[in-house]
Amino acid sequence: AAVDPQAIYDAREKVLNAIIGHSGAKLEKIYNENRTGTDFTITPEAMGQRVLQNTVMLILANKRTDEDAARAKTHYDAANNMTDRMAALYLACALKGPARDDIVNDFYDKFKDYPLVIDKWFSAQVMVVRDDTMDILAALRKHPDFNIKNPNRVRSLFAAFAMNNPVKFHDVSGAGYDFLADAVIELNGINPQIAARLLTPLKEWKRYTPDRQEKMKAALERIAALPDLSADVFEIVSKSLKG
């Protein structure tokens, strides 16, 4: 059967919202009972508790309410480790309003001198499903800390979006495909190996619904038409179009 990422996401939303409706109070209890204490430890028990509280927090927040925003802010402000901070950041990136802006901006200010952490900051913002995902991508592409010549930064933006946000990457408008194709075309003359690797999500174009297939194929053909196509990119594009 043809893959429809939006339909899969919609079904997942129904299941998660049903779980919250049925077991919200239990989830709240589990979250509160497993909160990170003031002392940070790396015992297996403490690590397990952090994973559990963060997973439950993200499930509880699926409806993106004001209460969820307040929980994200409290969680972030109380965090004394990167696991908890990242969980709050991922949640914040899915929200709209002051809590989101406070957390996203504070995280950047705290860690702007740590490139690998800022890579995660870029990725967190493009991996969530939002109406304005393409606007966020465009803004991050122009961010002073984005450098197209830095492979890690390229992966943190383009690959994180295309490979970890199937709903928005495969939006029926084709905007996600165009965004990735533009990146591949730009990188073709800068880092052909990275450009070729970015094509991975487009290679499986025949697996998707006909409307998506058409736009994915068009994106591949636009890349294939480049007059100065590198050998790395040519190999992947030609094989993908033949396959």
Side-chain angles (χ1 to χ4, degrees), residues 6-199:
Q6 184 68 54
I8 295 167
Y9 177 78
D10 291 344
R12 178 180 178 275
E13 287 290 283
K14 283 182 184 172
V15 171
L16 283 173
N17 289 336
I19 290 170
I20 297 165
H22 182 268
S23 305
K26 285 182 186 174
L27 290 168
E28 285 270 10
K29 188 167 182 284
I30 293 168
Y31 173 76
N32 290 324
E33 287 174 351
N34 288 277
R35 290 290 286 120
T36 301
T38 51
D39 297 325
F40 173 73
T41 62
I42 55 169
T43 62
E45 292 79 11
M47 291 166 75
Q49 281 186 300
R50 283 195 287 277
V51 172
L52 181 56
Q53 62 149 352
N54 291 330
T55 302
V56 169
M57 177 181 70
L58 292 169
I59 292 171
L60 275 170
N62 201 56
K63 292 186 178 180
R64 318 279 190 256
T65 64
D66 290 343
E67 186 184 354
D68 300 327
R71 190 189 297 111
K73 187 77 169 72
T74 302
H75 191 96
Y76 180 83
D77 289 342
N80 61 5
N81 61 85
M82 190 55 77
T83 303
D84 289 352
R85 277 193 196 96
M86 284 303 304
L89 176 65
Y90 280 125
L91 172 50
C93 289
L95 302 169
K96 291 184 180 177
R100 180 226 182 242
D101 297 339
D102 288 349
I103 293 171
V104 169
N105 294 336
D106 184 78
F107 190 98
Y108 175 79
D109 289 339
K110 271 193 173 76
F111 300 106
K112 59 188 172 190
D113 295 328
Y114 299 87
L116 294 179
V117 181
I118 294 301
D119 286 339
K120 292 179 182 294
W121 179 82
F122 272 91
S123 296
Q125 295 177 74
V126 303
M127 287 164 54
V128 293
V129 177
R130 296 175 58 106
D131 296 339
D132 57 351
T133 295
M134 298 313 298
D135 295 334
I136 289 169
L137 280 163
L140 288 172
R141 173 69 187 80
K142 292 175 183 168
H143 192 279
D145 276 1
F146 183 79
N147 180 0
I148 194 81
K149 294 179 180 176
N150 180 326
N152 283 341
R153 200 51 46 94
V154 166
R155 281 188 283 265
S156 75
L157 183 67
F158 299 115
F161 165 65
M163 302 183 83
N164 295 300
N165 193 343
V167 176
K168 299 313 292 186
F169 177 64
H170 291 287
D171 187 88
V172 289
S173 67
Y177 308 143
D178 288 339
F179 183 77
L180 190 68
D182 289 342
V184 170
I185 289 167
E186 187 173 0
L187 282 158
N188 175 66
I190 296 169
N191 190 329
Q193 291 83 14
I194 293 287
R197 279 191 215 116
L198 282 182
L199 283 165

